[in-house]
Amino acid sequence: MSIEQLAETAQAMVAPGKGIIAIDESNTTIGKRFAAVGIENSEEHRRAYRELLLTVPRLSEHVSGAILYDETLRQSTRAGVPFAKYLADHGIIPGIKVDKGTTALAGFPGELVTEGLDGLRGRLEEYYRLGARFAKWRAVITIGDDIPTGTCIEVNAHALARYAALCQEQGLVPMVEPEVLMDGSHDIETAYEVTEAVLRSLFGALYEQNVLLEGTILKSSMVVSGKDCEEQAGIQEVAESTLMCLKSTVPAILPGVVFLSGGQEDEDATAHLDAMNRLGPNPWALSFSYGRAMQQAALKLWAKDMAGNAKKARDAVYARARANGQAALGQWQGEY
Ligand code: 13P
C-alpha cells in the first residue's frame, strides 16, 4: 500500500465538517450500555441497534467514517447488505477496532496495558478484505496517586506504535488512541501534564517504529478536570489547554486529531470542539470520533420502543452528527 493511498484515506477521515462515529463497543461494553436502559444483550439486538445507527439518512453529510467491532464488521442489514458495503456505498469509510482490550500491567498496581498484537498482521489482512480502511487501538492511562508511571506510558506507546506500523503495512490507516481517563479528582493541570507526557512518548515511539504520520490519525482525549475534581474547568479553558498540549506535542504533518467524548455531556463535547476550532487556524484538522456523545440520546429513545421510536432515534443521531460537524468547522450554533 502506498503512503499516498494511506494519506488520502486519512485526509478523507478528517474532511472539513466531518468526523467519525464510534460504534465499536465490545460485546461486554455494549452489554453495559444496553443494561442501563433495559435492553437484553443478544446478537440480534446488537445487530439491529448498529443497523439503526449506520443507516441514519444523510449521515455522510457530517460523518466520514464509522468504527465497528469485529462482530459488527461481519454483520449485515436486515436486507442482507454487509455493513461495510452499506457504509462504503453511502460515502462512509468503514473502520475497525483491533485491540483486544486492557489487562492489568504486571508489577504496576492500578495501571493497564492494551493487548492484541499477537496475530494482528493476519487479522488486519482479513479486516482489509472485509472492507475496513482504518483501524483503532485504544490505550488507557489512569491518573491517580503516583500514577501514571513512566513505564505504563512507555509500554502503551510501544504497543500503539507496533500496531500502527502493522496497520500501514496492511493498507489500513491507524487511528492511535491513548485515552487519559477523566475518572478521578485530579485538576486540569494534572490532566495537562499527563496528556503531554503520553503524547510525547507516543510520537517518539511512532517515529522509532517508522510509522508515517501522513497516514495516521490521532484519537485523543481532551485536557479536562477529573470528574470528581471540585473545581471544574470551563469550556474555554478546556479548549485552550487541549490546544496548547496538542501544539506542543503533535507534529504538524499529521492530517488530523479526532477526540473521544470519554463521558463528557453531549453538549460539552460539542462545545469543546467548537471552541478549539474557533481558536484556529490549527496545524491539523480537529474533529470528533465520539461514541457516547453521538449515541446516548438515540439509545434511550430506542430502548423505550424499538420499532416505534426508530425514526426519532435516527433523528437524534443525525442531530448529534450535525452539531459535531458544525463544531468541527467552529460553526456550531449552540450557546456556551
Ligand atoms: P466515547 O466517545 O464514548 O468515549 O467513545 C469513543 C471511543 O471510541 C473510545 O474508545
Side-chain angles (χ1 to χ4, degrees):
M1 176 68 51
S2 71
I3 180 59
E4 285 79 15
Q5 277 167 299
L6 289 168
E8 199 179 304
T9 303
Q11 295 283 359
M13 288 165 68
V14 290
K18 293 192 188 190
I20 309 282
I21 182 167
I23 59 166
D24 61 332
E25 301 87 356
S26 65
N27 288 352
T28 313
T29 301
I30 196 70
K32 287 183 203 156
R33 308 265 193 270
F34 278 180
V37 291
I39 298 175
E40 187 204 339
N41 188 13
S42 65
E43 182 177 347
E44 177 48 23
H45 279 163
R46 292 193 295 272
R47 193 207 61 75
Y49 177 58
R50 266 64 182 257
E51 175 166 355
L52 177 96
L53 299 174
L54 295 174
T55 58
V56 168
R58 298 183 292 130
L59 191 62
S60 65
E61 287 173 4
H62 309 290
V63 167
S64 57
I67 320 173
L68 309 180
Y69 182 60
D70 182 277
E71 177 186 87
T72 320
L73 187 64
R74 300 170 196 281
Q75 289 174 327
S76 302
T77 64
R78 241 177 115 85
V81 182
F83 284 142
K85 176 169 168 33
Y86 183 94
L87 288 169
D89 288 349
H90 288 78
I92 296 179
I93 307 167
I96 177 79
K97 165 199 173 74
V98 300
D99 66 73
K100 292 206 161 174
T102 56
T103 187
L105 179 61
F108 292 83
E111 298 198 285
L112 300 168
V113 64
T114 301
E115 294 188 321
L117 289 170
D118 287 358
L120 182 58
R121 175 178 277 131
R123 288 199 290 129
L124 293 172
E125 221 177 312
E126 186 191 12
Y127 289 144
Y128 187 93
R129 264 190 276 118
L130 289 170
R133 291 296 177 267
F134 70 97
K136 185 193 100 170
W137 177 289
R138 173 175 174 257
V140 176
I141 304 294
T142 312
I143 301 180
D145 290 342
D146 300 324
I147 61 171
T149 60
T151 305
C152 176
I153 291 173
E154 271 168 40
V155 295
N156 276 293
H158 187 262
L160 274 162
R162 286 214 41 214
Y163 121 89
L166 283 162
C167 283
Q168 292 192 330
E169 180 196 83
Q170 296 302 321
L172 292 137
V173 170
M175 178 190 269
V176 293
E177 180 185 13
E179 176 172 1
V180 177
L181 294 178
M182 286 169 63
D183 301 333
S185 55
H186 54 272
D187 56 19
I188 189 168
E189 286 79 13
T190 307
Y192 185 105
E193 279 166 29
V194 170
T195 307
E196 184 181 32
V198 165
L199 292 176
R200 256 192 227 303
S201 176
L202 173 62
F203 283 95
L206 293 173
Y207 175 74
E208 292 288 332
Q209 296 193 44
N210 287 343
V211 175
L212 300 164
L213 297 186
E214 304 91 308
T216 301
I217 295 290
L218 170 66
K219 175 159 177 167
S220 181
S221 33
M222 296 182 195
V223 176
V224 293
S225 318
K227 246 189 275 181
D228 302 324
C229 179
E230 278 176 17
E231 216 174 300
Q232 289 291 315
I235 301 291
Q236 212 55 35
E237 187 177 357
V238 168
E240 283 168 19
S241 302
T242 305
L243 259 187
M244 173 98 86
C245 191
L246 292 175
K247 281 184 181 168
S248 70
T249 53
V250 180
I253 198 166
L254 194 88
V257 181
V258 292
F259 293 101
L260 57 99
S261 56
Q264 296 180 31
E265 295 297 324
D266 291 359
E267 295 234 320
D268 285 353
T270 306
H272 288 143
L273 178 62
D274 189 65
M276 278 187 254
N277 279 306
R278 283 179 198 259
L279 288 167
N282 297 309
W284 354 253
L286 290 180
S287 192
F288 60 94
S289 175
Y290 298 152
R292 282 162 286 180
M294 285 285 282
Q295 298 181 36
Q296 51 206 0
L299 179 58
K300 278 186 202 146
L301 285 164
W302 193 65
K304 274 194 215 138
D305 180 0
M306 289 181 185
N309 270 353
K311 178 168 182 330
K312 275 192 202 156
R314 284 203 173 94
D315 288 349
V317 177
Y318 182 79
R320 296 299 306 136
R322 184 161 182 269
N324 290 320
Q326 289 171 344
L329 296 168
Q331 293 171 6
W332 184 47
Q333 306 294 316
E335 276 183 30
Y336 57 90

